[in-house]
Amino acid sequence: MALALRCLRPLPALLHHSSFAVTRGLPQAPRGCPVPVLEGCRQCVQQMLLSRQLATKKAKGKGQSQAKVNINAALVEDIINLKETSEDMQAVIEALKEDFSRNLNVRTSPGALDHITVVTKDGKFPLNQLGQISQKSPQLMIVNMTSFPESTAAAAKAIRESGMNLNPEVDGTVIRVPVPKVTREHRESLAKLAKQSTNKSKEALRKVRSKSITQVKKFKNKVSEDTIWLLEKQIQQMVDEAAMEMDKLLAAKTKELLG
């Protein structure tokens, strides 16, 4: 019994780091370990980890809450860069926040027009790089295209198709942009756009997931099935958490827009 306890003593620290210790090389048995019984502690650890995984799967089948996977990224860095995957997902979330802030406001301000993308024969440019934007009155904004008169029509089209419910009027190299009255219909239209933007962001999130899963599966012949399964579970968990954050952002934005 004393010898068996000596074998199990390293387990807590090992499990604390990651379940991936199974595939990343477990420590050899402590001196004196009854190898014929415990097979050098490796099978002890492997069986314990496998039991934990199977218990989690069973819990899922019974509708119970699943234990979260928390992988030490350093232990799997030669398979996938989990930090980079997390950063890619966070970038999608930040892009959604920026879209909400710039393009989905009940009150339209000059700043909301700044980053509308204008497609010209020379490429794509933010509107504020092509024209001077100002607010003449609470009901009217002006875009002066004197510096790039050849892009006036393209700029007006970009404003009209921005999804901000704006109907620009071109007068030479000046674009007049009437600010619409805030109506219930306008608020609901903005809320729908917020939902569409969130769905597009979730699609981008799924692309990050697909890319990461593909990367992991490249190692299916080099590491155990349990390793692949746990990594896929970790990635899906990251996606779920990012999607939940997006849903919270949408809920807050919808409440703001609808009043």
Side-chain angles (χ1 to χ4, degrees):
M1 175 62 74
L3 289 177
L5 290 175
R6 289 179 61 192
C7 293
L8 293 176
R9 192 170 297 143
L11 291 182
L14 186 62
L15 292 173
H16 174 72
H17 285 294
S18 171
S19 300
F20 283 88
V22 173
T23 59
R24 303 291 296 180
L26 296 174
Q28 298 297 327
R31 183 175 298 177
C33 176
V35 175
V37 177
L38 297 177
E39 297 186 13
C41 287
R42 287 174 172 265
Q43 281 195 347
C44 302
V45 178
Q46 203 163 15
Q47 186 61 41
M48 180 174 289
L49 293 174
L50 184 57
S51 297
R52 175 182 289 184
Q53 295 163 19
L54 291 175
T56 300
K57 292 180 181 178
K58 289 178 181 178
K60 182 179 179 181
K62 293 180 181 180
Q64 299 175 4
S65 59
Q66 283 185 274
K68 283 191 174 183
V69 175
N70 188 16
I71 298 168
N72 186 331
L75 295 178
V76 294
E77 60 185 3
D78 57 343
I79 300 176
I80 187 172
N81 189 330
L82 287 176
K83 181 179 178 182
E84 186 177 290
T85 298
S86 178
E87 289 173 349
D88 288 345
M89 293 183 185
Q90 190 59 40
V92 176
I93 294 173
E94 292 303 319
L96 180 62
K97 288 181 181 178
E98 188 172 351
D99 181 43
F100 280 179
S101 176
R102 288 180 176 172
N103 302 323
L104 297 173
N105 297 294
V106 175
R107 297 283 181 184
T108 305
S109 64
L113 303 183
D114 285 351
H115 298 280
I116 289 178
T117 301
V118 181
V119 180
T120 72
K121 63 180 181 180
D122 297 317
K124 298 180 180 180
F125 302 92
L127 180 59
N128 64 352
Q129 289 186 12
L130 300 176
Q132 183 179 359
I133 306 170
S134 60
Q135 186 147 8
K136 192 168 185 178
S137 72
Q139 291 77 38
L140 181 65
M141 288 187 293
I142 299 294
V143 182
N144 191 325
M145 298 293 295
T146 303
S147 298
F148 296 93
E150 69 279 6
S151 299
T152 301
K157 180 181 178 183
I159 295 170
R160 187 176 295 108
E161 296 177 354
S162 66
M164 298 171 66
N165 193 34
L166 300 174
N167 293 300
E169 303 166 357
V170 177
D171 182 10
T173 58
V174 173
I175 303 174
R176 301 179 186 278
V177 186
V179 178
K181 183 180 178 181
V182 181
T183 63
R184 186 66 185 178
E185 183 181 1
H186 180 49
R187 289 176 178 273
E188 291 175 350
S189 176
L190 290 175
K192 287 180 181 179
L193 288 174
K195 177 66 174 177
Q196 291 172 10
S197 293
T198 304
N199 288 339
K200 287 181 181 179
S201 294
K202 286 184 177 180
E203 180 61 32
L205 200 61
R206 286 190 286 270
K207 288 181 180 179
V208 174
R209 175 190 178 281
S210 179
K211 177 183 175 182
S212 300
I213 294 295
T214 298
Q215 173 64 23
V216 168
K217 287 186 175 179
K218 290 180 181 178
F219 290 81
K220 65 181 180 180
N221 295 324
K222 299 179 182 180
V223 297
S224 72
E225 290 183 5
D226 285 340
T227 300
I228 299 296
W229 181 79
L230 283 169
L231 268 173
E232 290 180 349
K233 182 177 174 63
Q234 172 76 64
I235 293 168
Q236 184 59 53
Q237 183 176 291
M238 293 163 67
V239 170
D240 292 342
E241 290 173 353
M244 285 178 62
E245 185 171 349
M246 289 181 181
D247 287 337
K248 289 179 181 178
L249 290 172
L250 175 60
K253 193 64 181 180
T254 300
K255 183 178 180 180
E256 172 195 325
L257 293 171
L258 295 179

